Amino acid sequence: MSRIGKKPVDLPGGVTATISGQTVEIKGPKGVLTFKATDDVTLAVEDNAVSVTPRGSSKRAKQQWGMSRTQIANCVTGVTEGFKKELEINGVGYRATMQGSNVLKLALGYSHDVLFDVPEGITVTAPKQTQIFVEGIDRQQVGEVAAKIREWRKPEPYKGKGIKYKDEYIFRKEGKSK
């Protein structure tokens, strides 16, 4: 039994959920998100909450049960609060600035500046030259954009230079000894 899947997803005030077939559409103050569940689960809206139940007792149905409930909960959180990832830049001369509203300019020690186009539905801000905030309502898309930005210069273990998540710990190595 899925301990996560058993709990219904409560819908706070101002959030509505409509189910058509295996698709859940959640509308809230920040926007609209949809999630298409597999045929292994049954979706229902009862008492201002979305409940997910498995169809059958197969292993796949049990796996999809908890995953579907979590995806719906992420949609509800996204349309009410949104998601945010914070990145830090470490290194001499490494910096980030915004060009317009949808292009992030990164100086990361390459012979050229990296221009990163921000996808639709995501907001990227650089309040300081060493900080980047990625915000949006879709958790998967926010994480993917943050990972793509981090990919340009991953933190290295000797000096810690590069782009890292704010709460990430970089295991430091000792350099060569004589």
Side-chain angles (χ1 to χ4, degrees), residues 47-118:
D47 302 327
N48 207 21
V50 179
S51 62
V52 182
T53 53
R55 289 184 185 165
S57 60
S58 68
K59 183 178 180 181
R60 179 168 165 76
K62 290 177 184 176
Q63 291 169 343
Q64 296 298 317
W65 182 20
M67 190 273 305
S68 298
R69 189 258 179 216
T70 303
Q71 292 283 9
I72 293 168
N74 285 342
C75 290
V76 171
T77 305
V79 297
T80 54
E81 303 165 20
F83 292 100
K84 183 177 188 177
K85 288 268 189 184
E86 298 180 23
L87 299 166
E88 290 180 353
I89 301 175
N90 296 319
V92 177
Y94 290 11
R95 61 186 170 276
T97 55
M98 290 299 297
Q99 280 188 343
S101 62
N102 62 346
V103 176
L104 178 67
K105 182 179 176 184
L106 299 166
L108 299 172
Y110 296 120
S111 62
H112 60 284
D113 288 343
V114 174
L115 298 176
F116 182 81
D117 291 326
V118 179

Side-chain angles (χ1 to χ4, degrees), residues 117-168:
D117 291 326
V118 179
E120 197 71 32
I122 297 292
T123 306
V124 175
T125 55
K128 295 182 188 174
Q129 289 185 340
T130 59
Q131 277 185 332
I132 302 170
F133 294 148
V134 182
E135 299 175 84
I137 63 172
D138 187 357
R139 183 176 186 165
Q140 188 268 335
Q141 194 177 17
V142 167
E144 185 177 349
V145 169
K148 284 181 180 178
I149 293 171
R150 181 183 181 272
E151 204 172 73
W152 280 103
R153 184 67 87 172
K154 291 182 182 171
E156 53 96 17
Y158 295 101
K159 293 184 180 179
K161 292 167 54 170
I163 302 174
K164 70 177 191 83
Y165 297 110
K166 184 177 181 185
D167 56 351
E168 182 180 11

Side-chain angles (χ1 to χ4, degrees), residues 8-9 11 15-20 23-26 42-52 72:
V9 179
L11 299 174
V15 176
T16 59
T18 54
I19 296 174
S20 61
T23 305
V24 181
E25 185 178 87
I26 299 174
T42 305
L43 306 169
V45 177
E46 307 158 343
D47 302 327
N48 207 21
V50 179
S51 62
V52 182
I72 293 168

